[in-house]
Amino acid sequence: ETGVTQTPRHLVMGMTNKKSLKCEQHLGHNAMYWYKQSAKKPLELMFVYSLEERVENNSVPSRFSPECPNSSHLFLHLHTLQPEDSALYLCASSQGRDRGNSPLHFGNGTRLTVT
Amino acid sequence: GESVGLHLPTLSVQEGDNSIINCAYSNSASDYFIWYKQESGKGPQFIIDIRSNMDKRQGQRVTVLLNKTVKHLSLQIAATQPGDSAVYFCAEGLRMGTYKYIFGTGTRLKVLA
């Protein structure tokens, strides 16, 4: 149990499908993040939410749409994805978006394959 | 540039030996550093962190060393065990407007029996 739970663990979708990734954190943190992890590349920050407000959108295509209904839940809505979007999508949380000196706690990710 | 890199992409270590994984960072303004372990099929797991006002921090079987002069970070694992086999990567934190974390690409540690 990591404290950050992601579902589903695996997802295969066609380019015309619409799906959503879900993340829930049980750590009482107030900042949540979406990262993309591709092979042999560093983690890429996609979105940051602090106190349910989106504070960063790292030039992510509009086919990715985040939603943060409360400080414990984070979604990533997917539509008309491309094969190059296949990757491991990681959710993370931290104690404070701008405090620094606070590690990110990650979930186990959703392995997404776009066919 | 803004990058965090690792010198060795793969490190093979005999079980019971000590492991040293290195990381170079490029931002002098970075004030916080984290080591993560990522096993196959899992997300990154926090191992240990260190603030820039320290040069050494110890945990259980792990030690992180920070050399700000040459912008170098290392993770030492004592008495390496098979369960230590994973990808390890470092992250640096710094304030660039908002606080940001920059991650390295990772080093794969293989423990040989």
Side-chain angles (χ1 to χ4, degrees), chain A residues 41-105:
Chain A
K41 293 175 67 176
L43 290 176
E44 300 174 61
L45 178 64
M46 299 177 72
F47 301 103
V48 183
Y49 276 82
S50 177
L51 299 173
E52 302 149 41
E53 177 184 351
R54 189 193 311 182
V55 295
E56 189 156 346
N57 176 343
N58 214 28
S59 301
V60 179
S62 59
R63 57 185 183 269
F64 295 91
S65 175
E67 178 189 0
C68 187
N70 55 61
S71 60
S72 299
H73 293 86
L74 185 66
F75 295 90
L76 188 62
H77 304 300
L78 317 171
H79 65 97
T80 59
L81 294 191
Q82 304 298 311
E84 59 265 29
D85 296 323
S86 298
L88 181 68
Y89 288 85
L90 291 163
C91 174
S93 68
S94 70
Q95 286 184 326
R97 175 66 180 91
D98 275 333
R99 278 178 50 187
N101 295 334
S102 173
L104 301 178
H105 293 263

Side-chain angles (χ1 to χ4, degrees), chain B residues 23-92:
Chain B
C23 177
Y25 65 94
S26 57
N27 290 281
S28 300
S30 294
D31 61 3
Y32 179 58
F33 304 88
I34 314 168
W35 278 103
Y36 286 94
K37 171 187 180 184
Q38 188 171 20
E39 297 175 273
S40 180
K42 295 185 177 181
Q45 176 187 358
F46 170 81
I47 302 174
I48 191 168
D49 57 2
I50 188 168
R51 299 180 183 182
S52 59
N53 60 355
M54 304 171 67
D55 54 20
K56 180 179 180 179
R57 191 166 187 218
Q58 290 184 294
Q60 187 177 9
R61 280 200 311 118
V62 295
T63 301
V64 55
L65 298 178
L66 175 62
N67 186 331
K68 293 182 289 293
T69 302
V70 294
K71 291 189 289 228
H72 184 267
L73 189 71
S74 68
L75 177 70
Q76 300 178 0
I77 304 173
T80 311
Q81 302 170 358
D84 294 327
S85 293
V87 174
Y88 292 80
F89 56 89
C90 62
E92 59 180 312

